[in-house]
Each structure stands twice: as structure tokens, then as C-alpha cells.
Amino acid sequence: MNEKLSFENTQIAFQHSSNTDLNRAYWLFRVINVNFLVKIGPPVTNFFMKIGMPIKSLIKATIFKHFCGGETISECDKTIKNLADGGVGTILDYSIEGEDDETVFDNTRDEIIRTVVRASKDKAIPLTVFKVTGVGRLSLLEKMDEGLKLNIDEQIEWQKVQDRVLEICEMAHSEGIPVMIDAEESWIQKTIDHLAINMMRFFNKEQAIVYNTYQMYRHDKLASLITDFTVAEDEGFILGAKIVRGAYMEKERKRAEERSYPSPIQPDKAATDRDYNDALVFCADHVDKIAIVAGTHNEDSCRLLADLLDEKKIAHNNPHVYFSQLLGMSDNLSFNLADSKYNVAKYVPYGPIKAVLPYLFRRAQENTAIAGQMSRELSLIVKEKKRRG
């Protein structure tokens, strides 16, 4: 067991935060802890934006500043440097979602390619990421997942989606920069999985360039991971696997209930935790052939993976193993892991404020769903404030 690794060291956790940053985080998490405010926040904010109230600067100075890097890649420079000073990498995450316009999809593809190019010039950006719904229409992906026949226009549209994904992965491959394909809702995930594995067949022969994402709050995803590894082994490519617990639980359960099909979600949190940790063990056992990004805010899972690396004498900085958290959360994990020389990278969302709002609202709502995590964030901030006097 790694005796030196502590997630309690707030001096390391908040070394990159000024007193002003710490105070802003303190008040932000206090507000997020109030369920009522989080529930009324999104409709009220959207209403104010619609009627042209000058609310944008308030959002930018508070919740946006805490959880996002900026509105453009260059606006993220300060955050990238700040994280790098603490040994933590940046994953630039262009957080536009839910569009259904071909021009927007092309623009999003171009922007994601710009993040790959930026990463190729900067060791502080070790990984890149995109969502398939950023470059293709949700309802088209739904139709694909259901196995319905596409009309001629939809066939052309589907080809464009595949081309955009291919262009992003081609650029990642030519620049030697890994790109993660984020997981999404279960009713489009089969199509995303198929795309991701195909891209790995092309680009993961020598090194892990393309990663798929496995959401362990789904009861079938540990089995998917193992099956995909068998395919990768048989076909001679490296499996890229980002392991997360998941982000769409309420939506998933509600839809399953409304449409009377069995919920894809685990029966309880203990089952999710068990599958998550089993996935880490499986990946660590095959670290020469699986590249893993452990996306988690769970201290036990972080410690488990850190201990597994030590147990199996795998170097802390092995390029096949990354820990990952979101900007603005769990700095006690990110910076203390980095201090012990593990590979760590934070998701740094960016984009126009209006387009990133759905992401921000989801963060706040998820945070109230994991109230224990919020209390943890607050208690660490309070501890550091006291330490600083």
C-alpha cells in the first residue's frame, strides 16, 4: 500500500488556489448544497438570458469561472498553466451539446481538431475528448441504435457523422494525441461503441489513440469491457478504456419506467462501486494491452488503482494509466495523486457561456445528487481556510 499517498493534504490540494479562489469555491459549494436553489436555478437563468438580463457576467464570474476554463481555447491558457504547475494535465472539453444543425456539427468537428492540434504542441494537455452527439444528431443515433432502416437523406447524414469522427481520430493519430469518445445515454450507446471499436481497429495498432468510455452504473458494462478486450486481443490492437461510474442515471431510470423496459442501471451504488473497482483490477492485470483513464471522484477507487500499480510494480507514470477528475472538484485527489507522480488530468470544459450552461446545470444537479461529495468538498475548503488563518 502506498503509505505516502494522502487525500487529506489540503496544502497540496489547494496550492494553486488564491484566497479569492478559495472563498468563491466556499460560497459556490454552499449554494450548490441547497437543493431548492439548484432546482430553480436553470429555469430562472434561462428566462433571464432570454429576456436579455445582464446575467452572463455574473455566471462567468462565479459558476463558469469555477468549473470551466474559458469561452475559447486561448482563454483556457491560464487554467492549463495553473494545473500544470501542480503536475496535473488538462483535457480540453468543448462542451457544446444537443444541437441538430449540420453547420454546427462541422464547426464542432473543427474545434475538436483544434484541441488536438493545441495538445500536440503542449505536454500539459495529454488527452483530448469529444462526444458523438457533438458531431451528429441525437435522433439519428437513436434510429441507428434501434436498427431502423434509414432513408436516403439519413444515410447521407449518417455517412457525414462517421466521416467527422474519422477526421478527428485521424488527426489524433497523426499528432500522436489520445482522444476519448465520451459515453452517452444507453439508447444511443450501442452505435457509439461500434464507432469507437472501429476507430481503435484503425488507429490503436501501435499505441492507444482512441478510447471508448464504459459507464459502470450500467449493469452490463463490465461484461462489455471484457468482451471488447477479447476482440482487441484477437485483432491485435490496444484497447483504450475510460472507466467512469456514469452521468445519466435519473434520466435512464425515468425513460425505462415510462417505456416499460428493464432499467440498464445497477440496482444500487454498491453494485456500481463493485463493478467499477473490478474494472480497475481487470485493466491493471492487462496494462500492457489496455490503456485506462480512471475517471473518478471516489477516494476508495483512486486508492485502489494507486495500490494496484504499486503491487504490480507498474510505474506511476506508465502512459497506459491516467487518473481523471473534473475542473473545480476533488482537487484533494488530483493534486495529491500528481504529487505522488501518478498521471493525472482534469477535464477543462470550455465554450460560449450560453452553450455550456447545460453542462454547468448538470454539474450542480449531480453534485446535489452526491451530497456526501459536496460536504467533503466544503469540509476540505474549510480545513484549508483555517490552515491559512
Side-chain angles (χ1 to χ4, degrees):
M1 188 165 161
N2 187 338
E3 298 298 340
K4 279 194 331 199
L5 181 62
S6 161
F7 297 135
E8 301 299 321
N9 189 326
T10 60
Q11 185 172 359
I12 290 172
F14 297 110
Q15 63 194 352
H16 61 297
S17 299
S18 66
N19 288 340
T20 309
D21 293 335
L22 214 54
N23 283 328
R24 187 186 59 245
Y26 172 76
W27 286 108
L28 202 55
F29 285 129
R30 285 211 41 184
V31 169
I32 284 173
N33 256 354
V34 182
N35 257 326
F36 169 70
L37 288 176
V38 171
K39 282 197 172 74
I40 66 157
V44 168
T45 306
N46 287 328
F47 173 70
F48 284 156
M49 296 276 276
K50 267 197 189 96
I51 62 170
M53 286 272 284
I55 196 171
K56 186 178 157 182
S57 53
L58 176 68
I59 294 168
K60 190 162 186 177
T62 53
I63 187 167
F64 186 87
K65 190 175 171 64
H66 188 79
F67 291 111
C68 299
E71 294 197 72
T72 61
I73 293 176
S74 60
E75 272 190 28
C76 296
D77 285 350
K78 194 178 162 198
T79 301
I80 295 166
K81 185 185 180 308
N82 206 6
L83 292 174
D85 287 346
V88 174
T90 287
I91 302 163
L92 286 171
D93 180 17
Y94 186 52
S95 294
I96 283 194
E97 49 187 64
E99 303 288 342
D100 61 359
D101 178 86
E102 289 293 302
T103 314
V104 175
F105 296 145
D106 284 341
N107 291 342
T108 301
R109 171 206 58 208
D110 295 346
E111 185 64 22
I112 291 156
I113 286 172
R114 280 191 281 275
T115 66
V116 173
V117 172
R118 174 76 170 80
S120 71
K121 298 173 183 152
D122 192 345
K123 281 195 169 61
I125 308 172
L127 302 156
T128 56
V129 68
F130 73 99
K131 271 189 162 78
V132 175
T133 50
V135 294
R137 194 163 51 87
L138 177 71
S139 48
L140 179 72
L141 297 170
E142 285 175 335
K143 204 164 174 181
M144 288 294 302
D145 243 56
E146 285 172 32
L148 300 173
K149 195 168 166 25
L150 302 184
N151 63 37
I152 294 294
D153 287 345
E154 287 168 335
Q155 286 172 34
I156 294 165
E157 189 186 352
W158 172 234
Q159 190 54 55
K160 284 182 184 168
V161 177
Q162 293 175 90
D163 291 346
R164 289 183 195 112
V165 170
L166 181 62
E167 285 169 68
I168 292 164
C169 295
E170 268 176 343
M171 179 58 82
H173 181 256
S174 75
E175 297 293 347
I177 296 294
V179 61
M180 301 179 290
I181 299 175
D182 265 346
E184 305 199 45
E185 293 89 346
S186 63
W187 54 93
I188 59 170
Q189 190 59 46
K190 198 165 58 186
T191 303
I192 295 168
D193 290 344
H194 181 70
L195 272 173
I197 287 286
N198 260 344
M199 292 299 107
M200 287 187 217
R201 285 188 174 105
F202 284 129
F203 301 118
N204 284 20
K205 295 242 184 279
E206 272 92 45
Q207 72 178 101
I209 292 293
V210 180
Y211 287 67
N212 195 15
T213 304
Y214 299 83
Q215 302 195 93
M216 290 298 155
Y217 73 171
R218 280 183 55 176
H219 54 67
D220 57 343
K221 278 295 151 184
L222 179 59
S224 289
L225 174 73
I226 294 164
T227 303
D228 289 352
F229 174 66
T230 308
V231 171
E233 237 188 346
D234 290 349
E235 297 185 25
F237 63 86
I238 298 162
L239 183 70
K242 183 173 76 146
I243 314 291
V244 299
R245 278 173 169 78
Y248 305 96
M249 189 162 62
E250 307 302 331
K251 197 195 277 191
E252 290 280 1
R253 285 200 175 121
K254 191 170 171 225
R255 187 179 192 265
E257 202 179 309
E258 283 169 2
R259 303 193 179 203
S260 305
Y261 62 82
S263 170
I265 303 302
Q266 299 269 21
D268 52 35
K269 187 177 181 301
T272 302
D273 291 342
R274 185 194 62 235
D275 277 11
Y276 190 94
N277 291 343
D278 286 352
L280 296 185
V281 172
F282 181 78
C283 292
D285 282 343
H286 302 96
V287 80
D288 53 330
K289 294 172 184 170
I290 300 181
I292 173 186
V293 174
T296 181
H297 292 250
N298 182 293
E299 292 184 22
D300 293 339
S301 294
C302 286
R303 186 168 293 287
L304 170 69
L305 182 54
D307 289 347
L308 283 167
L309 297 189
D310 285 352
E311 235 172 74
K312 295 173 188 297
K313 303 201 168 18
I314 299 164
H316 287 194
N317 63 349
N318 184 303
H320 274 201
V321 185
Y322 263 86
F323 293 83
S324 180
Q325 288 81 38
L326 299 165
L327 182 69
M329 288 178 69
S330 301
D331 285 354
N332 65 313
L333 301 181
S334 308
F335 288 96
N336 281 301
L337 282 162
D339 192 63
S340 290
K341 303 295 179 260
Y342 293 97
N343 292 327
V344 186
K346 275 192 181 281
Y347 262 62
V348 174
Y350 77 95
I353 287 179
K354 205 171 175 181
V356 177
L357 278 177
Y359 168 85
L360 292 173
F361 292 148
R362 211 168 52 245
R363 277 293 75 77
Q365 282 154 355
E366 276 169 24
N367 290 344
T368 57
I370 45 170
Q373 173 70 33
M374 278 309 91
S375 306
R376 179 81 173 124
E377 295 280 353
L378 259 177
S379 68
L380 289 162
I381 290 165
V382 169
K383 185 179 168 186
E384 177 61 8
K385 276 163 73 85
K386 276 188 185 146
R387 191 193 70 80
R388 292 183 188 188

